[in-house]
Amino acid sequence: MGSSVERVSLAAGNPEGENSAYVLSDRNAVVDPGPPTEDAWERLRAGIEETGLGVGDVEYVFVTHWHVDHAGLVPQLVDATEATVVMHERDAPLVADYAAERAERVDRDARRLRQWGVPADVVEAVQSGDRPSPMPDSLADDRVASVTDGETVAGVEAVHTPGHTLGHAAFVVDEAGEADRTGESGVTTGTPFVGDLVLPTYTPNVGGGDTRLENALATYLESLRRVRSVCDRRGVEAVAPGHGSPLAFGERVDEIVTHHDERSRRTVAVLDAVDDESGSADAERARSDAGATPWQVATRLFGEMEGIHAKMGAGEAASHLEFLRERDAVERVPVGADGVDSAGSADDADGPTSGPRRYRVVDAGRAGVDGVESG
């Protein structure tokens, strides 16, 4: 059988649009099998069989990240095939040990939301609305292969691309494989499979999609640089996203960077305005003593939010504020006589807190996001 890749369009059901699974026929592999619905399962089965494989022929399931719209069909596919699931080691436990990791994640999300200044009733609503996915409590240990950056399984290399999630990975068929023969879908074996790193019409959320990340935006931008380097090295421009059709990577990255550049500048403007609304007649004193939480910034950036949107919006604002803090455009407001800032003594969601984080503008001229060049 010749070397080719076929895209399988799965049912829509989320803001990013319809999921895309990919069948690597010469590797007996599937990338991102899709959400746990009967319709998606039937579409995936039909897509696999159209390549000339039987479902039982699948030996490897590569999953770019733990979100259920990409990993939800993993258990069903493994049951039907006894395939090996390949994920980056930081995301693999959230699928392999779903029940325990989910309980920890829900608690961690709540701690992070409180750190971002989200009101208690909204945090409670996010927690109560976080319904379990139809996933088994765990998968057998011998069914999951946790990989690290640069590791290769079945001739497919994992490229760690955190930002949307902590263990997000792109997958690239190694250069020792068969030549990049194009399948009917227009995807070649040399095309990087990038999950939610970039999407055709939607900007991937950074900050709310995985609350383990401390500086999600800076991490995400570095991942874009890494994949641009991969594309340059391999002489390819197109990438295969987890939603929609293959797209020109460089062009889409430029659009995403422009988007974050504009949001970064708007975040500073909003933060400055929130400071001035503190109620103090002395604006300089307000900036010194008050500042604003990520939630306050988010509500001005995105308007009223509830449920999952509250987590995504607050996380997006927080990621921009931390990015701006690294650039010395904003700073965290110290609280208490001991000068400990609102993050307490730890820089993650699991550490102690003395209240929500608050930020104030230091130098608005430092706002903005640099372009993403290869390196």
Side-chain angles (χ1 to χ4, degrees), residues 29-371:
V30 171
V31 179
D32 280 355
T37 67
E38 191 57 36
D39 180 64
W41 174 243
E42 291 305 320
R43 288 175 183 237
L44 181 65
R45 285 177 59 95
I48 292 171
E49 291 168 357
E50 284 176 6
T51 70
L53 293 177
V55 171
D57 295 325
V58 175
E59 297 178 23
Y60 298 96
V61 184
F62 294 90
V63 184
T64 58
H65 61 296
W66 63 266
H67 289 168
V68 72
D69 58 323
H70 296 261
L73 280 179
V74 163
Q76 198 162 345
L77 193 53
V78 167
D79 285 345
T81 64
E82 296 189 354
T84 298
V85 180
V86 183
M87 297 183 70
H88 188 272
E89 63 180 358
R90 301 308 299 269
D91 270 19
L94 282 86
V95 173
D97 196 12
Y98 173 76
E101 290 289 335
R102 179 185 178 277
E104 184 175 336
R105 177 187 61 77
V106 172
D107 287 344
R108 179 175 59 243
D109 286 355
R111 292 193 299 273
R112 185 68 89 180
L113 289 170
R114 289 191 290 270
Q115 187 184 70
W116 293 337
V118 178
D121 61 331
V122 178
V123 175
E124 172 58 31
V126 171
Q127 283 187 291
S128 61
D130 195 317
R131 306 295 185 189
S133 300
M135 300 275 283
D137 286 353
S138 61
L139 299 177
D141 290 343
D142 61 352
R143 294 271 63 87
V144 181
S146 297
V147 296
T148 58
D149 181 62
E151 194 168 349
T152 297
V153 175
V156 179
E157 180 185 355
V159 180
H160 190 203
T161 53
H164 184 59
T165 71
L166 183 60
H168 194 290
F171 291 104
V172 188
V173 176
D174 68 16
E175 295 172 324
E178 295 185 38
D180 295 343
R181 178 178 147 190
T182 304
E184 292 181 7
S185 63
V187 189
T188 76
T189 53
T191 303
F193 303 98
V194 297
D196 281 358
L197 181 70
V198 296
L199 302 170
T201 60
Y202 197 87
T203 304
N205 180 267
V206 289
D210 191 335
T211 56
R212 294 175 296 173
L213 286 152
E214 175 60 28
N215 194 337
L217 179 56
T219 302
Y220 173 72
L221 293 173
E222 178 58 31
S223 291
L224 293 179
R225 292 187 185 92
R226 296 200 71 205
V227 173
R228 177 163 274 183
S229 293
V230 170
C231 289
D232 289 349
R233 185 180 74 242
R234 297 177 65 86
V236 298
E237 173 58 16
V239 296
H243 300 266
S245 301
L247 51 83
F249 185 71
E251 179 180 336
R252 184 63 183 132
V253 166
D254 290 344
E255 293 171 350
I256 291 171
V257 170
T258 297
H259 163 84
H260 283 297
D261 183 77
E262 293 171 351
R263 179 158 290 169
S264 171
R265 298 176 191 280
R266 189 173 172 219
T267 296
V268 168
V270 165
L271 182 60
D272 211 22
V274 173
D275 276 345
D276 286 338
E277 293 167 8
S278 65
S280 168
D282 185 344
E284 290 305 316
R285 185 167 182 271
R287 287 189 180 86
S288 175
D289 295 341
T293 67
W295 177 250
Q296 288 175 305
V297 172
T299 56
R300 285 159 176 79
L301 287 173
F302 311 121
E304 210 171 307
M305 295 168 289
E306 59 184 17
I308 188 68
H309 300 292
K311 183 170 74 165
M312 297 301 179
E316 187 85 16
S319 73
H320 274 270
L321 288 165
E322 281 300 303
F323 179 83
L324 289 162
R325 187 170 74 95
E326 283 200 346
R327 297 174 68 94
D328 296 321
V330 308
E331 65 182 2
R332 287 195 209 156
V333 178
V335 296
D338 58 2
V340 177
D341 77 9
S342 53
S345 61
D347 248 354
D348 59 45
D350 299 321
T353 61
S354 55
R357 291 180 176 179
R358 306 186 74 88
Y359 297 79
R360 62 189 171 198
V361 177
V362 174
D363 185 351
R366 292 181 177 271
V369 174
D370 296 330

